[in-house]
Each structure stands twice: as C-alpha cells, then as structure tokens.
Amino acid sequence: MTFRDIVPIIVLITLLAFVPVFITANTVLNFLVFTLIIALAAQGWNILGGFGGQFSFGHAAFFGTGAYAAALLQVRLGINPWIAFAIGAVAGAAVGWAIGYLSFRSGLRGSYFALVTLAFAEVLRILANAAAFTGGAAGVLIKLDVRPENFQFESRGAFFWIALALVGAVLVLTRWIERSRFGAQLVAVRENEAAAKALGVDTLRVKLGAITLSGAVTAAAGCLYAQYFLYVDASIAYGTWISVEAILAPIVGGLGTVFGPLVGAVALHGLSEITKLAAGSVPGIDLMVFGGLLVAAVAFAPEGILGLLRRSAQAKGAARHA
Amino acid sequence: MYSPAIIAEAVVNGLMTGAVYALIALGLTLVYGVLHIINFAHGALLTAAMFAVWVVYEALGLDPYLAILPLTPLFFGMGYAVQRFVIGPASHGNDSNILLVTLGLSIAIENALLAGFRSDTRTLNTDYGFQIVEFGPLLLSKPRLIGFGAAISVTVLLWLLLSRTDTGKAIRAVAKEKFGASLVGIDVAHVYAVTFGLGCACLAVAACLLMPTFYVNPRIGQAFVLVAFTIVVLGGMGSIPGALLGGLFIGVVESLCGLFLGDSLGQIGIFLIFILVLLVRPTGMFGAKA
C-alpha cells in the first residue's frame, strides 16, 4: 500500500469532518452518528463477507459483545470507558476467532456457515437476556457523566468525529487488506477455495484472520453504540436487526469494495428517513423497503451502487469517445 | 423433584408440538433437498399464513381447520409464483444470491405484515381452544392432539406424493441431477417452483393447525424458523423421515428444557443442539454424505 492509495480516503474523511461545523441540528447529527455506527458494523461484515465470501448472518454476536463489554466493564467493574472500548473490540476479535475456529475447522461454508453464525448470535442473545450479570431483560444503563475522559461529550459533534475517525481508520485497514498478500489470499478463498488450497494458501488461517478482524471492527461499532446511547439490552445488542443491517449496507453499496459499506449505509438510512417522511409513522415500512431493495440489488445491481456508478461512468466515457 | 406424571406430560406435549414443528421443517427440507438452498423466507411465509388464518376467521368466520382447504392451494400458488418469478430470476442461479434474495423477501414480508397489522399479538377465540382429552393419567389439549394427527397425516401424504406420483418422480430426479433431468425433458424451473409451492403449502397447513392454540404477531415466524432450521439440520438436509423424527425430538427437548430450565432459558437447548450438530455432523442423522 502506498500513500496514493489512501489519498481518496483522507480527502473524503476531511470533507465529512466539516459537516458538524455547518449542521448543528441534533436530529441530523443523531442520524449521522447512527449511520456511521451502522457503516462501521457493515465494514466489519464486508471484510469477511465481501472479501472472504463467507456470509455471516450473525454479526450481532460481535456487535453485542462489543456493546455489552463496553457497558459492563465500566458499570460493573468501574473501568475507564476508553479502556473498556478497546477491551470491547478485543473481545469482539476473540469471539470472532472462536466462532471461526469452531465453524471453519468443521468445514462449514455457504448456507451452513450462515446458519451457524445465526445460531451463535441467538445463543448469546438468550444468555444475555437471562443472566443477572448482564442485567437480564432490563439491560444495562450507563450512568450519565458528561466528561471527555469518560467518553461522554457535551456536543454530538464530538461523537460524530470519533465515529468518523473510526470509519476512516477501517477504510485504511480495508484498503490495506485489498492491496496486501493476505487480501489476495482472502479473495482467492472467495473465488475458489479448493483452487486456493491447491496453490498452497492456508485457507483456514486466512479465514480465521478475516473473521477475527471482522469481529473486532463490528464490536467497535457495538462499543460506540453503547457509549452513544448509554443503554444496552439483549434485543438491541444481539438482535437480528444489526446482523441484517451489516449485510445490507455492503451489498447495496458494493460488496468487497473499500467504500461500499459506507456508501450503502448512507444510501439505506437516507432512504429510510425519506420513506418515514413520505409514509408517516407506519412501523416497519422502512425495513419493508430495505428487504425489497436487497432483492432488487441482487437481481439488478450485483455490484451495488458503486458498480452502477462505475458502469455509468464507463458508458459516458465510451459515448464521448464514439 | 419432578413426578413421573409431570415429565410424561411434558414429553407428550413436546411430541404434539414437535409434530407441527416437523411439518414446518418438512417444507424447509423439501426446498433444500431439491433447490439446495436454505429458504430464509420460510419463517416470514409462516407468519403470513398464520395471519391469513386469522383474517379468514375474523372476516368470514371460517374455522381454522376448514381454512386448510382454501389456504393450502392459495399458498401453493403463491409459493410457485415467488420461486418462478422472484427468487429464480433474481438470483441468476448463484447459491449465495438465493440466500440473500430469500433474506430480503423475509425482511420485506415480515415488515409488510408489521405495517399492515401492527405489532399487536392476536389469537383466535374458538370454543374448542381449551378443551382437553383425558388419556389415562394424562390430560391432553384437544386441538394439539388434532394438530399432531393432522401433521403426521400430511407428512405421510407428502411422502406418498414424492414416492408414488410422476410429479414426485420429477422432483426427485431434479434433486439428484438437474442437468440430467432437463435432458430427459423435465422443466427444471417448473419443478423448482412446484417444490417451493409444496413447501409453502406445508406452512399453510401448519398455520391452520397452530392457530387454535397459538397466537400470531409479525415477528412470530423467527421463533419457528430457527427451530425448523435445527430440525432440518438434525434430521439431515432434504430428508423427510429425518424432518419428522427431528421435529418430534426437538419438540420433546424444548418441552423438557422449558420444564427444567424455565421459559427464558428453555430455548437454549435447541440452539446448542443446532450448533453441535452443525459442527460435529452437518449431514445430520439421515442426510447423505456431503
């Protein structure tokens, strides 16, 4: 990876960093922070699903682990929230490695892998909902104590910048994966696992690396969620909604691309706000559109929004040369 | 700690629930056996069927058991159309695409139901909903006993359909070797759609059998579909006897776990079995070697 590879990322993040300067409305900033959290979770999914071709239907397992770790470490053990945040991401990596070790070692792939990840997330949800340590069904409330060293800020802008910085860091990480030997091996596993193995790629190690990174990134999104909303319960942290969001954004934006998850998350949540404005407060209407969009994306735009843009740019270029 | 009578009752209750689970799993395993895909929309389609039962009962006063007659062909037709005109064309014949398309369908259906019916939980007030039958020392719920019998009958009918009719032969041929089947003149896209339709028909029957004792809300399918996945994996993907035995077994496990662990932890037994089977023997008890 050279410096030129990350120039577009630096430009994009710098431009986005000015948003809170111009927009100070809380509702808009809320929307933006939430969208960035989703984008981060989706970036995690994209490393494993987009580059590695292993479709997890249970990324809630990582998101929830991050969220609960961040909340419980400070509430139950009095650990500083910034340190809790870091431990949360590491916990997500550990859960990722463990789930990966168990399922990849047994040779699970495709639908079976999707199912087993779904089941792991459900087990964690049921446990978190029942155990006393996690607050049971009542969840965990993080005490409001607005101090920067406490990871709580007066302005929503500060949170926006932290979320943006994390998204930017993962963009760089994803770019590095794309350019690295590890990334090439990961794509080889996606395209043809047997051939990759025959060429000497240690497929188990490569997949384990991907799911560990993936778990860490999605767990970081979970930590951020807990820290922003100051509340976690089992159906939020380990709920299927976040697994679905993490799948949708990369597919709509562009599977296996660096910017895909971010573009997808912004497009989906922008659309969801528009539907809510248009249809009023009918519950479920925005998700109904998401579902339809997923089918449409697979049917008509398998490379997502980025793929459509690239194709239309190429068509324009061709028209100009003609 | 627990008297034998309580445990026996839990086992029998589990068997009765398990038969309906088996019916739901049957639709899933049939689709898997032929199309080699996991239909993630199965749970949402079950929810849709349960709402259909509720609607015909409230609007037309149609008894849920009689509703089997119109709803089964209706859901067969709907399943046929969904596979033929949505899943088939949208997935371009790629397995991971099918996975995503059915996931998208499930989200769309579930939330369309949420938008239409809101999140209220609804029940049917039939006059036989709480009737019980004495069976030796055991007290059994009458509608669940009917459900048990009907679910077993449907399983047998489906098995006969697959083993004795030409349609069944075509379905089995496509399941074994779809290219070969198309060479001898079988319309593969049609057989896929018929199979998907049969899967949905199973759901319609299951919904009619469930509704007298159960409730419906837009999220209810999720609970059933994970159980159905477990049964299908346990019994072996694509195996009909596997689905039946797996369903009965899981019904008993759930019932006993609920008795010993309480309601909130009761379901965990199912998922642990699920994960264990996937990790240790993903072909299940009756599945062919992958």
Side-chain angles (χ1 to χ4, degrees):
Chain A
M1 189 170 74
T2 60
F3 182 69
R4 279 187 57 180
D5 286 333
I6 56 168
V7 169
I9 298 171
I10 295 173
V11 171
L12 178 75
I13 297 297
T14 317
L15 285 177
L16 287 176
F18 282 104
V19 169
V21 179
F22 299 108
I23 300 170
T24 46
N26 270 346
T27 45
V28 180
L29 283 177
N30 258 339
F31 162 75
L32 290 174
V33 171
F34 184 65
T35 307
L36 284 176
I37 292 174
I38 299 297
L40 193 61
Q43 283 178 313
W45 189 90
N46 190 42
I47 294 174
L48 181 68
F51 288 94
Q54 312 296 316
F55 285 12
S56 148
F57 278 22
H59 255 53
F62 312 135
F63 185 85
T65 301
Y68 267 111
L72 290 174
L73 286 173
Q74 50 184 303
V75 172
R76 298 267 190 274
L77 305 175
I79 289 172
N80 177 284
W82 291 94
I83 298 168
F85 183 97
I87 299 176
V90 173
V95 172
W97 185 85
I99 293 180
Y101 184 79
L102 288 171
S103 34
F104 292 141
R105 279 260 320 210
S106 320
L108 296 183
R109 57 174 109 169
S111 317
Y112 287 99
F113 180 68
L115 279 179
V116 83
T117 48
L118 185 74
F120 274 116
E122 276 298 297
V123 167
L124 289 172
R125 186 182 64 78
I126 295 172
L127 286 177
N129 200 42
F133 181 69
T134 54
V140 194
L141 206 61
I142 299 172
K143 222 172 79 191
L144 187 70
D145 183 4
V146 183
R147 276 179 301 152
E149 66 268 32
N150 223 2
F151 211 143
Q152 295 184 23
F153 304 95
E154 205 63 67
S155 82
R156 285 163 211 272
F159 241 108
F160 175 85
W161 282 317
I162 291 172
L164 187 66
L166 280 168
V167 168
V170 179
L171 283 176
V172 173
L173 171 74
T174 318
R175 175 67 85 197
W176 171 80
I177 291 175
E178 199 183 32
R179 293 277 185 268
S180 71
R181 189 179 175 80
F182 166 70
Q185 292 178 335
L186 195 57
V187 171
V189 167
R190 177 186 73 196
E191 294 301 326
N192 189 335
E193 192 167 340
K197 208 168 195 166
L199 288 171
V201 174
D202 185 348
T203 54
L204 179 65
R205 194 186 59 85
V206 169
K207 287 196 284 186
L208 271 180
I211 198 172
T212 308
L213 274 177
S214 182
V217 171
T218 302
C223 300
L224 210 56
Y225 184 100
Q227 207 56 45
Y228 187 65
F229 293 97
L230 299 176
Y231 175 71
V232 170
D233 74 17
S235 61
I236 293 173
Y238 287 120
T240 38
W241 72 277
I242 186 67
S243 299
V244 168
E245 292 265 10
I247 297 170
L248 269 172
I251 287 170
V252 169
L255 197 60
T257 61
V258 173
F259 290 102
L262 180 60
V263 171
V266 172
L268 279 171
H269 282 270
L271 185 73
S272 136
E273 291 302 307
I274 294 170
T275 356
K276 273 186 208 154
L277 282 179
S281 60
V282 181
I285 201 98
D286 49 333
L287 282 173
M288 192 177 103
V289 174
F290 279 16
L293 214 62
L294 177 57
V295 176
V298 174
F300 304 114
E303 288 167 42
I305 294 174
L306 292 177
L308 286 182
L309 290 178
R310 195 165 37 220
R311 242 187 291 165
S312 83
Q314 279 166 355
K316 260 186 215 151
R320 208 174 298 130
H321 288 295
Chain B
M1 194 158 102
Y2 294 99
S3 75
I6 291 180
I7 293 178
E9 208 160 271
V11 169
V12 174
N13 271 323
L15 283 175
M16 293 194 297
T17 319
V20 180
Y21 283 166
L23 194 52
I24 299 168
L26 208 58
L28 201 61
T29 208
L30 189 65
V31 171
Y32 183 86
V34 179
L35 282 76
H36 302 288
I37 54 147
I38 287 174
N39 174 17
F40 268 94
H42 207 64
L45 287 166
L46 175 68
T47 316
M50 289 169 82
F51 268 112
V53 177
W54 182 80
V55 166
V56 295
Y57 182 79
E58 291 291 316
L60 310 172
L62 193 61
D63 185 89
Y65 294 125
L66 287 177
I68 294 179
L69 296 175
L71 288 183
T72 310
L74 182 76
F75 270 78
F76 175 81
M78 202 186 68
Y80 185 94
V82 164
Q83 165 61 30
R84 185 106 205 208
F85 304 115
V86 181
I87 302 177
S91 51
H92 312 293
N94 179 325
D95 281 1
S96 54
N97 282 346
I98 302 179
L99 209 62
L100 296 173
V101 170
T102 56
L103 178 71
L105 275 177
S106 104
I107 300 167
I109 295 171
E110 199 178 288
N111 288 288
L113 291 170
L114 180 64
F117 293 95
R118 302 303 157 99
S119 54
D120 308 336
T121 289
R122 293 156 208 268
T123 51
L124 297 187
N125 294 312
T126 53
D127 40 1
Y128 49 78
F130 293 103
Q131 282 179 14
I132 27 184
V133 181
E134 270 186 66
F135 197 80
L138 305 173
L139 295 175
L140 305 176
S141 145
K142 192 171 162 190
R144 294 178 67 179
L145 205 59
I146 297 175
F148 179 78
I152 303 279
S153 319
V154 171
T155 311
V156 172
L157 276 178
L158 195 68
W159 184 75
L160 285 175
L161 176 92
L162 285 178
S163 59
R164 295 291 149 85
T165 65
D166 280 348
T167 313
K169 220 182 238 173
I171 291 176
R172 282 183 295 135
V174 171
K176 272 236 162 64
E177 175 54 59
K178 71 174 175 195
F179 184 62
S182 73
L183 284 182
V184 297
I186 295 172
D187 181 352
V188 173
H190 173 73
V191 169
Y192 274 5
V194 167
T195 311
F196 205 88
L198 283 175
C200 290
C202 288
L203 288 179
V205 178
C208 294
L209 298 178
L210 276 172
M211 278 310 283
T213 52
F214 216 71
Y215 55 89
V216 59
N217 65 45
R219 302 254 177 265
I220 197 73
Q222 284 182 0
F224 282 104
V225 80
L226 283 167
V227 174
F229 282 146
T230 313
I231 294 167
V232 168
V233 168
L234 187 68
M237 297 255 193
S239 159
I240 289 182
L244 183 59
L245 290 178
L248 296 176
F249 177 70
I250 288 296
V252 173
V253 167
E254 187 193 49
S255 175
L256 290 178
C257 281
L259 182 65
F260 293 125
L261 298 173
D263 270 343
S264 63
L265 270 177
Q267 271 217 318
I268 211 157
I270 296 178
F271 293 115
L272 290 179
I273 290 180
F274 183 42
I275 292 174
L276 271 179
V277 173
L278 271 177
L279 295 181
V280 177
R281 190 173 158 77
T283 50
M285 300 185 294
F286 295 88
K289 276 261 177 253

